[in-house]
Every structure is written in C-alpha cells, then in structure tokens.
Amino acid sequence: MTKLPQIGKPISRLEGRLKVTGSAKYAGEYEAEDLLYGYVVNSTITKGKITVIDTTEAKTLEGVIEIFTHENKPSTAWFDFQYADMDAPPGTVFKPLKDNDIKYNGQPIALVVAATFEMARYAATKIKLAYTEEKFETNLQSNLHKARDTKKGLASMLKPPPPKPTGDFEEAYQNSFVQSSGEFKHGTEHHNPMEMFATTVIYEGKDQLKIYDKTQGTINSQMYVANVFGLKMKNVQVIAPFVGGAFGSGLRPQYQLFMAVMASLKLKRNVRVTLDRAQMYTFGHRPPTVQFTKFGAEKNGKVNAIYHKAIGETSQFEDYVEIVVNWANMLYPAENTLLEHQVVPLDVYSPLDMRAPGGSTGMHAIEITMDDLAYKLNIDPLELRLINYSEKDKSSDKEYSSKELRNCYLEGAKKFGWSNRNPEPRSMKRGNKLVGYGMATGIWDANRLLARVQAIMTSDGKVAIKSAVTDIGTGTQTIMTQIAADELGLRLEDITFLYADSKMPFAPIQGGSFTTATVGPAVKAACKALNEKLFRKAKHLKNAVLSEMKFEDVIFSEGFIIVKNNPETKISIAEIFAANGGKEIKTTNTSMPNPLRYGKKARAVHSAVFVEVEVDEELGIIEVKRAVTAVAAGKIINPKTAESQILGGMIWGISKTLHEETITDHNFGKYMNPNLAEYHIPVHADIQDLNVIFVEENDTFVNDLGVKGVGEIGVVGMPPAIANAIFHATGKRINDLPIHFDKLL
C-alpha cells in the first residue's frame, strides 16, 4: 500500500511491466476480423511526373484486393488539408496520391491492398512505372543564395520569429575588446523511433471508424481524418495508448494514416498499413542548417554584441521553421543584437520537429561561440557565463518567472569537479588519450496550453481520470496518476488514468515539453472539482457533521473527508455514495493559462552541462567518458521518470554530436542510408558515466503545480559541451556536426 504524498516520489512507470513483457499493443498489433494489409509504393525519382503506372500484372496476383493510385483514388472532402493538422507549418499540406506530380524522392505514389502483408509487398514489385524527370535541387549548401524570409502562419504562435534588431550591432562588434565569429553546420537527421509508423483501421459501418494510430496526438489525427474524408468527428475514434518512440515524428499525421483510412472507407473493410524502416525516411526530418555567429565582448567579459543567423532547409510546398537564433539574447543580455532566420525551399519533404527542434541546433552555435570568447578573454568558460548572468530575458525585456540557472552552474560544476580543469588546451592527458573538459548552457521554453480532464468516482471509492493525451514513453500516465492521488487524497491503487483516446476530453499533441504543464493542472482542477462535489453532498447529509464547515476547513484522505483542526470529525466517501444511491459522481474541467497574465513574464527551463572526453591522440577516436547535467525545471513530479528523460536527452546529445547523420546523394536527391545499420546511433559501449542533478526551483507563476517540462532540456546543452571538451582536449575547434574522427586526424 502506497502512502501520500505521491508527488516527488520516484514511482516506477505504471505501464512498464506491460512494455517489457511485450503485453503492450502498438498501432500495428491490434487484431481485427478479415483484416487487409496495405503496402505503400514510393517514388524512385526526386522530381517530375508519373507517365505510366501499370497495375495490371499486380492485380492478377491471388490475394490482391485493390491497388490505389492517383488515377483511381477516391475523392476527399473539399476541406483543405492545411486546417486538418494542428501542427502544420505555413504553406500547402502534402496530399498523397493527389496527381501524377513527384515533389520529392520517396513520395508515396500507390497503395497495394491484399489479404496478407507479404502479398501486398510482393505485388508492389510488379507495378510498372515510367516517369519524366525534371531538374531538382536538394543541396542546402549550394543553394544558400536562394535563402528567404519565412511566411507567417498559425505555427508562428509557438515558433515566434527572431526579435527585432537592437542598438547598432556592427559598430559595437567592431569596437569590442574581443570578437568571436564562426560558421556552423549540421546535416539531416531522422527520428528513427523503434516503432515504425502504422495505422489499423476498424470499419464499423456507415463511415464510422475506430483507428489505432501511431501518433503524438489522438485528437490531431481525429481532426485530420474527419476533415480530409468529410466525416463527422463523433464517427472517428483514434486510440494510441502505447507509442514506441516518436521524438516529434508523430506530431503530424503521417501518410500511412491517410492510406489506411482511404482504403478502409472505399473497401468497407478493416485495413492496416505499416511502413518499413526505409519508408520512415520518406517524411519529416531535422533540417540541415547553416549558422553564422559574431559575438563581441568587453574586457571584463560582458557580451555587448550578438549576431546569429540561421539558414535551414524547407520543402517547396511548406515553410518549416524552428526557433534557432532567439536563444542567445535570452541568456546573455547584450545591448546590440542582430538575429536572422531564413529558409531555402528544396525538393524534399517538409522537415519536422525533432526533439529540441531549433534549440539543439541554435545552442550548439551559441555555446561554442561563448566558449571561444572565454578563451580569447582568458576567462574560465563557467565564469564568463556567470559574468553575463541575468534574471531577465533581454530579448523580451521580461523577468523570468523563475531562474535557478546560477545554481545549476554551481552545483553541476561541483559534482563534475570543474575546478580540477587545467584551462590550457592539450594540457591534460591520460596515457595516449587527450583529456578535455567542456561545458555549456541549456535553455528551453516552459509553455502551457489548454486541456480538459474528466474525473469519475464510483461507489467503491475508485476514481477514473480521462484525457485524450498520449504517453509517448515519457511516463505521462504515471505522473498524472500521482497528481490525481495527491489532490484526491487517495492511494495510487485507487486511481486509473485513462488516456490516448480521441473520445476523451481534449488534450493537445504531446510535444514541446509542455504536456505535464498543460494536462497536469487540468488533472488537478478536475480532482479538486470532484472533491468539491463530494464536500457539497457531505454537507447535506442527514445529521451532517460538516454542515457548518467550508471547503478550506477539510482535507481528503484515503476515503474520508476530515476536518483539519479536529481529525476525529470526519465523513466517509462511502456514506456520501450511500446517500447518493450509489451513482457515480463526475466532473469535467478545463485548465488554461490566463492570457492577460501569462505573457507578463518570460518562462524557461535551464540547464548546465559538464562533459569530459578522451580523444585518442593518434587515431582521433572520441569517447565521452562522463557528463553531468544540472537542471532547473520547477517542481519535479517524479524524479525517476524525469531523470530518465534527461538521461535520454543526454544520450541523444552524444548521438547528435558524434554519430547521427542522414547522407544525401545530391546527384539523385536521395537519402543513401535509410536503415539502422548505416544511420549510426550510440550503442551501450558508447555511453559511460552520466549524472543528473535537479536543482530546487519554486515557480508559482508557470502553473498551479509549479512544473516545467524536461523532455527537451536534456538534449540542448550536450552537443556544444562535447564540442567544447574536444577543443579543450585537442586545441581544434570543430563547428560541424557530427564530429567524426577524420576531422581530428
């Protein structure tokens, strides 16, 4: 039996056993009668038109039911796809099978539906295709001259453009005591979650669908299906209780959802469409980006001039943008700033948010530039950041709702042993290995959106909490149960958190590290409202001992309403239900930030990262030996799941810095390593001693719980900290990611 309070306890994930035993069902694993299987055919050219798509032979194969192409695709609703996806950037959303135009390599051009997956896949090889090819451009580096400012749309609300220039950057920079400038590049990266994208559609008659989808937002997928196919929202149910990783790739509905629904509606059958690993490279990616920085500082280390420009890739049909250049002035207040972000439209699919989108890109350039300034000033890199410390976000001229970054620096440095560092590059050795210490700052937005939650108590004293929110592996189910247990005064065992079903109360897509801050307060509000209902009923009981009490005078604990200053005076929940005829008591509540108040302060989560690397002096092989990340993220609901999130981010930071890269052959406009053999990610041997510190931070402004997200902050500071450690070890400043050994030889 567990006891209160639950918030702050390192509770193991409630669904953990289901996952590790293989009992958890994912989108492509649900059983259905007479299930048909779809296999997607993808374009082998990058740009042009389909002139022939001959399905004659494929259709003669036994078990093949139908083949959908642009020539026989069922019509869709007039409603523009753009408004069917709450995460769509400005532009025109890609419409599968719309016509014979090829916009990018790997574009879905047909769907084979058969009685078995194997037959559908085999039949796909029998489709005869001919194209006329057109000239294409997929190389960002050779098209920087085509960079332009981005179009604005609803997406800019969560992805604000760079702040306007301040002061006179050029003059301040030229007159600075020291100057640091750099060009930074990183290539394309793909999400590669373990679970491939899949959709299982159960046709329930009269255009009524139950859909098991791999998604980070059940309601987003529901909206997409209903609007694109002209269905009533109530007739579309999307369910996604288990998601085998997504990292942003599931924020938007992917094309297998469209294909599966299209086939199901046309054939009036149950249909499943699953993508294979190579097809996971045919939608969305972290865009290759080129950045330019110029920072100037005074003799005492104060940064007085900041220039940061980023040029990222986008598609020809949408303007995907990230927050890349906004961060420097949020951390280091300078009077003279010039921040620019542009995109280059290329013949690729639209990029897509990937864990810490923009932040992990921009902070890499910012923190390496700060490190370079420190060396030129002969000031310790940690000391330089303390010199430029500010309680205010200079870019918005607002104070932070809370900021314990200073303690992150100090506690992280102490844990790491930063004071043992010899500041001279190439001065520290261990045998034939050069040893380097590097550090960097991390920052990420602390946002909150609208959410609704329902709480239902039954006569046995058990409570069901309902929300459409997904749990993409972060521990959402567990921490929401902890929040509910504390608010209701019940044990964890008495709470069931039901989630990831579009029929449940509204929750936004799970991303941006805002889920706990968004859904958590709604859980708290619904549970409080349920308690208030119980209290009102208790006051009206015959011979009620609480009749003269106010709600503030009582507490709820393990099935009783108890008077605070007289614990012997109490009423059991069972008595209330007996008087209520045993009927369930429920409430549905909405929680959202006050728009008039919320914008008055800057809100962010911060981190300080310290890294030790070893570099083989002869071979250039790099090992991250240990790292410490100190995080200030408000109240930590569950230290165990939160630490897991930060550790996962740190590992991804190592991966981003030293391993991950999707290689494009620009002669073909094609990704050449769409598999987990050649797309390199870390293995166990690459990950050594990683430590996480949560610095105490109290914030009553961000939300009722005082929580901030931890999903992204674990990533953003790692790449620059590793790169700075490599410089300290070798004396070589490498600004391009990933850093492979050949760059050190």
PDB file of all heavy atoms in Angstrom, residues 678-708:
ATOM      1  N   GLU A 678      23.385   1.736 -41.172  1.00  0.00           N
ATOM      2  CA  GLU A 678      24.253   2.809 -41.673  1.00  0.00           C
ATOM      3  C   GLU A 678      23.897   4.186 -41.116  1.00  0.00           C
ATOM      4  O   GLU A 678      24.685   5.121 -41.259  1.00  0.00           O
ATOM      5  CB  GLU A 678      24.188   2.840 -43.201  1.00  0.00           C
ATOM      6  CG  GLU A 678      24.696   1.556 -43.843  1.00  0.00           C
ATOM      7  CD  GLU A 678      24.349   1.471 -45.309  1.00  0.00           C
ATOM      8  OE1 GLU A 678      23.147   1.442 -45.636  1.00  0.00           O
ATOM      9  OE2 GLU A 678      25.281   1.424 -46.123  1.00  0.00           O
ATOM     10  N   TYR A 679      22.722   4.316 -40.531  1.00  0.00           N
ATOM     11  CA  TYR A 679      22.409   5.543 -39.797  1.00  0.00           C
ATOM     12  C   TYR A 679      22.884   5.297 -38.370  1.00  0.00           C
ATOM     13  O   TYR A 679      22.262   4.565 -37.601  1.00  0.00           O
ATOM     14  CB  TYR A 679      20.900   5.827 -39.820  1.00  0.00           C
ATOM     15  CG  TYR A 679      20.523   7.138 -39.159  1.00  0.00           C
ATOM     16  CD1 TYR A 679      20.436   8.309 -39.899  1.00  0.00           C
ATOM     17  CD2 TYR A 679      20.262   7.209 -37.792  1.00  0.00           C
ATOM     18  CE1 TYR A 679      20.093   9.516 -39.302  1.00  0.00           C
ATOM     19  CE2 TYR A 679      19.919   8.402 -37.183  1.00  0.00           C
ATOM     20  CZ  TYR A 679      19.842   9.557 -37.943  1.00  0.00           C
ATOM     21  OH  TYR A 679      19.510  10.750 -37.345  1.00  0.00           O
ATOM     22  N   HIS A 680      24.004   5.888 -38.012  1.00  0.00           N
ATOM     23  CA  HIS A 680      24.687   5.500 -36.781  1.00  0.00           C
ATOM     24  C   HIS A 680      24.077   6.168 -35.550  1.00  0.00           C
ATOM     25  O   HIS A 680      23.889   7.385 -35.507  1.00  0.00           O
ATOM     26  CB  HIS A 680      26.176   5.859 -36.882  1.00  0.00           C
ATOM     27  CG  HIS A 680      26.884   5.069 -37.930  1.00  0.00           C
ATOM     28  ND1 HIS A 680      28.081   5.459 -38.488  1.00  0.00           N
ATOM     29  CD2 HIS A 680      26.568   3.899 -38.541  1.00  0.00           C
ATOM     30  CE1 HIS A 680      28.474   4.574 -39.383  1.00  0.00           C
ATOM     31  NE2 HIS A 680      27.557   3.620 -39.438  1.00  0.00           N
ATOM     32  N   ILE A 681      23.782   5.345 -34.564  1.00  0.00           N
ATOM     33  CA  ILE A 681      23.334   5.819 -33.258  1.00  0.00           C
ATOM     34  C   ILE A 681      24.183   5.127 -32.197  1.00  0.00           C
ATOM     35  O   ILE A 681      24.819   4.106 -32.474  1.00  0.00           O
ATOM     36  CB  ILE A 681      21.835   5.550 -33.030  1.00  0.00           C
ATOM     37  CG1 ILE A 681      21.523   4.048 -33.159  1.00  0.00           C
ATOM     38  CG2 ILE A 681      20.979   6.362 -33.993  1.00  0.00           C
ATOM     39  CD1 ILE A 681      20.083   3.697 -32.851  1.00  0.00           C
ATOM     40  N   PRO A 682      24.238   5.655 -30.974  1.00  0.00           N
ATOM     41  CA  PRO A 682      25.103   5.059 -29.947  1.00  0.00           C
ATOM     42  C   PRO A 682      24.640   3.656 -29.558  1.00  0.00           C
ATOM     43  O   PRO A 682      23.455   3.331 -29.616  1.00  0.00           O
ATOM     44  CB  PRO A 682      24.974   6.013 -28.758  1.00  0.00           C
ATOM     45  CG  PRO A 682      24.368   7.253 -29.292  1.00  0.00           C
ATOM     46  CD  PRO A 682      23.558   6.855 -30.480  1.00  0.00           C
ATOM     47  N   VAL A 683      25.604   2.844 -29.150  1.00  0.00           N
ATOM     48  CA  VAL A 683      25.322   1.552 -28.525  1.00  0.00           C
ATOM     49  C   VAL A 683      25.766   1.650 -27.066  1.00  0.00           C
ATOM     50  O   VAL A 683      26.309   2.669 -26.636  1.00  0.00           O
ATOM     51  CB  VAL A 683      26.053   0.406 -29.254  1.00  0.00           C
ATOM     52  CG1 VAL A 683      25.532   0.274 -30.676  1.00  0.00           C
ATOM     53  CG2 VAL A 683      27.562   0.623 -29.261  1.00  0.00           C
ATOM     54  N   HIS A 684      25.543   0.592 -26.309  1.00  0.00           N
ATOM     55  CA  HIS A 684      25.866   0.619 -24.880  1.00  0.00           C
ATOM     56  C   HIS A 684      27.319   1.020 -24.631  1.00  0.00           C
ATOM     57  O   HIS A 684      27.623   1.764 -23.687  1.00  0.00           O
ATOM     58  CB  HIS A 684      25.589  -0.750 -24.252  1.00  0.00           C
ATOM     59  CG  HIS A 684      24.134  -1.024 -24.027  1.00  0.00           C
ATOM     60  ND1 HIS A 684      23.369  -0.313 -23.136  1.00  0.00           N
ATOM     61  CD2 HIS A 684      23.301  -1.920 -24.599  1.00  0.00           C
ATOM     62  CE1 HIS A 684      22.125  -0.767 -23.159  1.00  0.00           C
ATOM     63  NE2 HIS A 684      22.059  -1.750 -24.037  1.00  0.00           N
ATOM     64  N   ALA A 685      28.223   0.543 -25.465  1.00  0.00           N
ATOM     65  CA  ALA A 685      29.648   0.813 -25.244  1.00  0.00           C
ATOM     66  C   ALA A 685      29.994   2.287 -25.401  1.00  0.00           C
ATOM     67  O   ALA A 685      31.042   2.739 -24.926  1.00  0.00           O
ATOM     68  CB  ALA A 685      30.488  -0.032 -26.201  1.00  0.00           C
ATOM     69  N   ASP A 686      29.118   3.053 -26.073  1.00  0.00           N
ATOM     70  CA  ASP A 686      29.380   4.483 -26.276  1.00  0.00           C
ATOM     71  C   ASP A 686      28.952   5.325 -25.079  1.00  0.00           C
ATOM     72  O   ASP A 686      29.320   6.492 -24.979  1.00  0.00           O
ATOM     73  CB  ASP A 686      28.626   4.986 -27.517  1.00  0.00           C
ATOM     74  CG  ASP A 686      29.118   4.338 -28.793  1.00  0.00           C
ATOM     75  OD1 ASP A 686      30.331   4.379 -29.031  1.00  0.00           O
ATOM     76  OD2 ASP A 686      28.284   3.785 -29.538  1.00  0.00           O
ATOM     77  N   ILE A 687      28.140   4.762 -24.191  1.00  0.00           N
ATOM     78  CA  ILE A 687      27.560   5.539 -23.096  1.00  0.00           C
ATOM     79  C   ILE A 687      28.186   5.100 -21.785  1.00  0.00           C
ATOM     80  O   ILE A 687      28.098   3.934 -21.395  1.00  0.00           O
ATOM     81  CB  ILE A 687      26.028   5.355 -23.052  1.00  0.00           C
ATOM     82  CG1 ILE A 687      25.410   5.681 -24.421  1.00  0.00           C
ATOM     83  CG2 ILE A 687      25.420   6.224 -21.958  1.00  0.00           C
ATOM     84  CD1 ILE A 687      25.727   7.066 -24.955  1.00  0.00           C
ATOM     85  N   GLN A 688      28.808   6.050 -21.098  1.00  0.00           N
ATOM     86  CA  GLN A 688      29.512   5.710 -19.865  1.00  0.00           C
ATOM     87  C   GLN A 688      28.864   6.400 -18.664  1.00  0.00           C
ATOM     88  O   GLN A 688      27.691   6.175 -18.393  1.00  0.00           O
ATOM     89  CB  GLN A 688      31.007   6.009 -20.049  1.00  0.00           C
ATOM     90  CG  GLN A 688      31.578   5.187 -21.229  1.00  0.00           C
ATOM     91  CD  GLN A 688      33.074   5.203 -21.342  1.00  0.00           C
ATOM     92  OE1 GLN A 688      33.796   5.115 -20.367  1.00  0.00           O
ATOM     93  NE2 GLN A 688      33.564   5.307 -22.575  1.00  0.00           N
ATOM     94  N   ASP A 689      29.545   7.243 -17.959  1.00  0.00           N
ATOM     95  CA  ASP A 689      29.067   7.769 -16.672  1.00  0.00           C
ATOM     96  C   ASP A 689      28.265   9.051 -16.878  1.00  0.00           C
ATOM     97  O   ASP A 689      28.845  10.117 -17.114  1.00  0.00           O
ATOM     98  CB  ASP A 689      30.283   8.014 -15.766  1.00  0.00           C
ATOM     99  CG  ASP A 689      29.882   8.453 -14.372  1.00  0.00           C
ATOM    100  OD1 ASP A 689      28.699   8.290 -14.011  1.00  0.00           O
ATOM    101  OD2 ASP A 689      30.751   8.968 -13.641  1.00  0.00           O
ATOM    102  N   LEU A 690      26.942   8.956 -16.785  1.00  0.00           N
ATOM    103  CA  LEU A 690      26.068  10.123 -16.932  1.00  0.00           C
ATOM    104  C   LEU A 690      25.331  10.379 -15.628  1.00  0.00           C
ATOM    105  O   LEU A 690      24.786   9.458 -15.021  1.00  0.00           O
ATOM    106  CB  LEU A 690      25.044   9.903 -18.048  1.00  0.00           C
ATOM    107  CG  LEU A 690      25.582   9.553 -19.444  1.00  0.00           C
ATOM    108  CD1 LEU A 690      24.434   9.419 -20.434  1.00  0.00           C
ATOM    109  CD2 LEU A 690      26.592  10.593 -19.928  1.00  0.00           C
ATOM    110  N   ASN A 691      25.323  11.639 -15.194  1.00  0.00           N
ATOM    111  CA  ASN A 691      24.666  12.013 -13.939  1.00  0.00           C
ATOM    112  C   ASN A 691      23.723  13.189 -14.155  1.00  0.00           C
ATOM    113  O   ASN A 691      24.009  14.102 -14.939  1.00  0.00           O
ATOM    114  CB  ASN A 691      25.713  12.408 -12.891  1.00  0.00           C
ATOM    115  CG  ASN A 691      26.392  11.196 -12.290  1.00  0.00           C
ATOM    116  OD1 ASN A 691      25.866  10.562 -11.383  1.00  0.00           O
ATOM    117  ND2 ASN A 691      27.565  10.847 -12.803  1.00  0.00           N
ATOM    118  N   VAL A 692      22.610  13.148 -13.419  1.00  0.00           N
ATOM    119  CA  VAL A 692      21.602  14.207 -13.500  1.00  0.00           C
ATOM    120  C   VAL A 692      21.393  14.794 -12.113  1.00  0.00           C
ATOM    121  O   VAL A 692      21.270  14.063 -11.126  1.00  0.00           O
ATOM    122  CB  VAL A 692      20.259  13.658 -14.032  1.00  0.00           C
ATOM    123  CG1 VAL A 692      19.205  14.769 -14.073  1.00  0.00           C
ATOM    124  CG2 VAL A 692      20.433  13.041 -15.417  1.00  0.00           C
ATOM    125  N   ILE A 693      21.358  16.118 -12.037  1.00  0.00           N
ATOM    126  CA  ILE A 693      21.045  16.834 -10.798  1.00  0.00           C
ATOM    127  C   ILE A 693      19.821  17.697 -11.059  1.00  0.00           C
ATOM    128  O   ILE A 693      19.776  18.436 -12.052  1.00  0.00           O
ATOM    129  CB  ILE A 693      22.209  17.758 -10.368  1.00  0.00           C
ATOM    130  CG1 ILE A 693      23.485  16.961 -10.111  1.00  0.00           C
ATOM    131  CG2 ILE A 693      21.826  18.571  -9.135  1.00  0.00           C
ATOM    132  CD1 ILE A 693      24.707  17.850  -9.910  1.00  0.00           C
ATOM    133  N   PHE A 694      18.815  17.603 -10.205  1.00  0.00           N
ATOM    134  CA  PHE A 694      17.682  18.522 -10.273  1.00  0.00           C
ATOM    135  C   PHE A 694      17.861  19.590  -9.199  1.00  0.00           C
ATOM    136  O   PHE A 694      17.870  19.293  -8.006  1.00  0.00           O
ATOM    137  CB  PHE A 694      16.360  17.785 -10.092  1.00  0.00           C
ATOM    138  CG  PHE A 694      15.978  16.939 -11.276  1.00  0.00           C
ATOM    139  CD1 PHE A 694      15.976  15.555 -11.194  1.00  0.00           C
ATOM    140  CD2 PHE A 694      15.643  17.530 -12.484  1.00  0.00           C
ATOM    141  CE1 PHE A 694      15.637  14.781 -12.283  1.00  0.00           C
ATOM    142  CE2 PHE A 694      15.305  16.762 -13.586  1.00  0.00           C
ATOM    143  CZ  PHE A 694      15.306  15.382 -13.490  1.00  0.00           C
ATOM    144  N   VAL A 695      18.019  20.807  -9.646  1.00  0.00           N
ATOM    145  CA  VAL A 695      18.210  21.940  -8.742  1.00  0.00           C
ATOM    146  C   VAL A 695      16.837  22.436  -8.290  1.00  0.00           C
ATOM    147  O   VAL A 695      15.908  22.572  -9.097  1.00  0.00           O
ATOM    148  CB  VAL A 695      18.983  23.063  -9.459  1.00  0.00           C
ATOM    149  CG1 VAL A 695      19.052  24.325  -8.594  1.00  0.00           C
ATOM    150  CG2 VAL A 695      20.385  22.579  -9.828  1.00  0.00           C
ATOM    151  N   GLU A 696      16.700  22.693  -7.014  1.00  0.00           N
ATOM    152  CA  GLU A 696      15.399  23.126  -6.483  1.00  0.00           C
ATOM    153  C   GLU A 696      14.985  24.448  -7.104  1.00  0.00           C
ATOM    154  O   GLU A 696      15.763  25.404  -7.160  1.00  0.00           O
ATOM    155  CB  GLU A 696      15.470  23.260  -4.962  1.00  0.00           C
ATOM    156  CG  GLU A 696      14.124  23.566  -4.333  1.00  0.00           C
ATOM    157  CD  GLU A 696      14.159  23.559  -2.818  1.00  0.00           C
ATOM    158  OE1 GLU A 696      15.116  22.989  -2.237  1.00  0.00           O
ATOM    159  OE2 GLU A 696      13.231  24.113  -2.205  1.00  0.00           O
ATOM    160  N   GLU A 697      13.757  24.500  -7.579  1.00  0.00           N
ATOM    161  CA  GLU A 697      13.230  25.716  -8.198  1.00  0.00           C
ATOM    162  C   GLU A 697      11.739  25.811  -7.905  1.00  0.00           C
ATOM    163  O   GLU A 697      10.982  24.907  -8.241  1.00  0.00           O
ATOM    164  CB  GLU A 697      13.467  25.700  -9.714  1.00  0.00           C
ATOM    165  CG  GLU A 697      13.015  26.970 -10.419  1.00  0.00           C
ATOM    166  CD  GLU A 697      13.383  26.990 -11.892  1.00  0.00           C
ATOM    167  OE1 GLU A 697      12.891  26.108 -12.639  1.00  0.00           O
ATOM    168  OE2 GLU A 697      14.167  27.863 -12.303  1.00  0.00           O
ATOM    169  N   ASN A 698      11.335  26.876  -7.266  1.00  0.00           N
ATOM    170  CA  ASN A 698       9.926  27.097  -6.939  1.00  0.00           C
ATOM    171  C   ASN A 698       9.360  28.147  -7.880  1.00  0.00           C
ATOM    172  O   ASN A 698       9.912  29.240  -8.015  1.00  0.00           O
ATOM    173  CB  ASN A 698       9.769  27.554  -5.486  1.00  0.00           C
ATOM    174  CG  ASN A 698      10.244  26.499  -4.509  1.00  0.00           C
ATOM    175  OD1 ASN A 698       9.882  25.331  -4.624  1.00  0.00           O
ATOM    176  ND2 ASN A 698      11.072  26.895  -3.555  1.00  0.00           N
ATOM    177  N   ASP A 699       8.261  27.813  -8.535  1.00  0.00           N
ATOM    178  CA  ASP A 699       7.667  28.723  -9.512  1.00  0.00           C
ATOM    179  C   ASP A 699       6.150  28.646  -9.396  1.00  0.00           C
ATOM    180  O   ASP A 699       5.536  27.669  -9.815  1.00  0.00           O
ATOM    181  CB  ASP A 699       8.112  28.345 -10.925  1.00  0.00           C
ATOM    182  CG  ASP A 699       7.830  29.442 -11.940  1.00  0.00           C
ATOM    183  OD1 ASP A 699       6.804  30.133 -11.795  1.00  0.00           O
ATOM    184  OD2 ASP A 699       8.632  29.607 -12.877  1.00  0.00           O
ATOM    185  N   THR A 700       5.556  29.660  -8.804  1.00  0.00           N
ATOM    186  CA  THR A 700       4.108  29.678  -8.642  1.00  0.00           C
ATOM    187  C   THR A 700       3.420  30.367  -9.823  1.00  0.00           C
ATOM    188  O   THR A 700       2.197  30.452  -9.860  1.00  0.00           O
ATOM    189  CB  THR A 700       3.725  30.422  -7.347  1.00  0.00           C
ATOM    190  OG1 THR A 700       4.283  31.752  -7.381  1.00  0.00           O
ATOM    191  CG2 THR A 700       4.252  29.685  -6.127  1.00  0.00           C
ATOM    192  N   PHE A 701       4.222  30.840 -10.788  1.00  0.00           N
ATOM    193  CA  PHE A 701       3.666  31.580 -11.924  1.00  0.00           C
ATOM    194  C   PHE A 701       3.331  30.668 -13.090  1.00  0.00           C
ATOM    195  O   PHE A 701       2.304  30.829 -13.737  1.00  0.00           O
ATOM    196  CB  PHE A 701       4.659  32.658 -12.385  1.00  0.00           C
ATOM    197  CG  PHE A 701       4.163  33.505 -13.522  1.00  0.00           C
ATOM    198  CD1 PHE A 701       3.410  34.640 -13.276  1.00  0.00           C
ATOM    199  CD2 PHE A 701       4.436  33.166 -14.845  1.00  0.00           C
ATOM    200  CE1 PHE A 701       2.938  35.424 -14.323  1.00  0.00           C
ATOM    201  CE2 PHE A 701       3.969  33.937 -15.892  1.00  0.00           C
ATOM    202  CZ  PHE A 701       3.213  35.078 -15.630  1.00  0.00           C
ATOM    203  N   VAL A 702       4.184  29.688 -13.386  1.00  0.00           N
ATOM    204  CA  VAL A 702       4.036  28.923 -14.628  1.00  0.00           C
ATOM    205  C   VAL A 702       2.731  28.146 -14.686  1.00  0.00           C
ATOM    206  O   VAL A 702       2.091  28.057 -15.727  1.00  0.00           O
ATOM    207  CB  VAL A 702       5.229  27.967 -14.862  1.00  0.00           C
ATOM    208  CG1 VAL A 702       6.473  28.728 -15.245  1.00  0.00           C
ATOM    209  CG2 VAL A 702       5.487  27.094 -13.651  1.00  0.00           C
ATOM    210  N   ASN A 703       2.323  27.543 -13.563  1.00  0.00           N
ATOM    211  CA  ASN A 703       1.050  26.825 -13.489  1.00  0.00           C
ATOM    212  C   ASN A 703       0.794  26.458 -12.033  1.00  0.00           C
ATOM    213  O   ASN A 703       1.658  26.674 -11.173  1.00  0.00           O
ATOM    214  CB  ASN A 703       1.051  25.571 -14.383  1.00  0.00           C
ATOM    215  CG  ASN A 703       2.260  24.697 -14.145  1.00  0.00           C
ATOM    216  OD1 ASN A 703       2.453  24.165 -13.050  1.00  0.00           O
ATOM    217  ND2 ASN A 703       3.108  24.549 -15.163  1.00  0.00           N
ATOM    218  N   ASP A 704      -0.366  25.898 -11.757  1.00  0.00           N
ATOM    219  CA  ASP A 704      -0.760  25.585 -10.378  1.00  0.00           C
ATOM    220  C   ASP A 704       0.186  24.596  -9.710  1.00  0.00           C
ATOM    221  O   ASP A 704       0.323  24.582  -8.482  1.00  0.00           O
ATOM    222  CB  ASP A 704      -2.175  25.005 -10.350  1.00  0.00           C
ATOM    223  CG  ASP A 704      -3.215  25.993 -10.842  1.00  0.00           C
ATOM    224  OD1 ASP A 704      -2.880  27.190 -10.914  1.00  0.00           O
ATOM    225  OD2 ASP A 704      -4.341  25.580 -11.163  1.00  0.00           O
ATOM    226  N   LEU A 705       0.803  23.737 -10.499  1.00  0.00           N
ATOM    227  CA  LEU A 705       1.696  22.718  -9.947  1.00  0.00           C
ATOM    228  C   LEU A 705       3.136  23.201  -9.819  1.00  0.00           C
ATOM    229  O   LEU A 705       3.945  22.570  -9.143  1.00  0.00           O
ATOM    230  CB  LEU A 705       1.670  21.468 -10.836  1.00  0.00           C
ATOM    231  CG  LEU A 705       0.361  20.676 -10.847  1.00  0.00           C
ATOM    232  CD1 LEU A 705       0.352  19.701 -12.015  1.00  0.00           C
ATOM    233  CD2 LEU A 705       0.184  19.934  -9.532  1.00  0.00           C
ATOM    234  N   GLY A 706       3.459  24.295 -10.507  1.00  0.00           N
ATOM    235  CA  GLY A 706       4.842  24.781 -10.483  1.00  0.00           C
ATOM    236  C   GLY A 706       5.793  23.920 -11.286  1.00  0.00           C
ATOM    237  O   GLY A 706       6.993  23.891 -11.012  1.00  0.00           O
ATOM    238  N   VAL A 707       5.272  23.208 -12.301  1.00  0.00           N
ATOM    239  CA  VAL A 707       6.110  22.287 -13.070  1.00  0.00           C
ATOM    240  C   VAL A 707       6.491  22.885 -14.417  1.00  0.00           C
ATOM    241  O   VAL A 707       5.759  23.679 -15.000  1.00  0.00           O
ATOM    242  CB  VAL A 707       5.412  20.931 -13.297  1.00  0.00           C
ATOM    243  CG1 VAL A 707       5.074  20.266 -11.984  1.00  0.00           C
ATOM    244  CG2 VAL A 707       4.163  21.088 -14.160  1.00  0.00           C
ATOM    245  N   LYS A 708       7.651  22.484 -14.898  1.00  0.00           N
ATOM    246  CA  LYS A 708       8.115  22.800 -16.248  1.00  0.00           C
ATOM    247  C   LYS A 708       8.506  21.477 -16.912  1.00  0.00           C
ATOM    248  O   LYS A 708       8.735  20.484 -16.232  1.00  0.00           O
ATOM    249  CB  LYS A 708       9.325  23.737 -16.206  1.00  0.00           C
ATOM    250  CG  LYS A 708       9.081  25.064 -15.507  1.00  0.00           C
ATOM    251  CD  LYS A 708      10.363  25.875 -15.454  1.00  0.00           C
ATOM    252  CE  LYS A 708      10.202  27.197 -14.745  1.00  0.00           C
ATOM    253  NZ  LYS A 708      11.470  27.965 -14.674  1.00  0.00           N
TER     254      LYS A 708
END
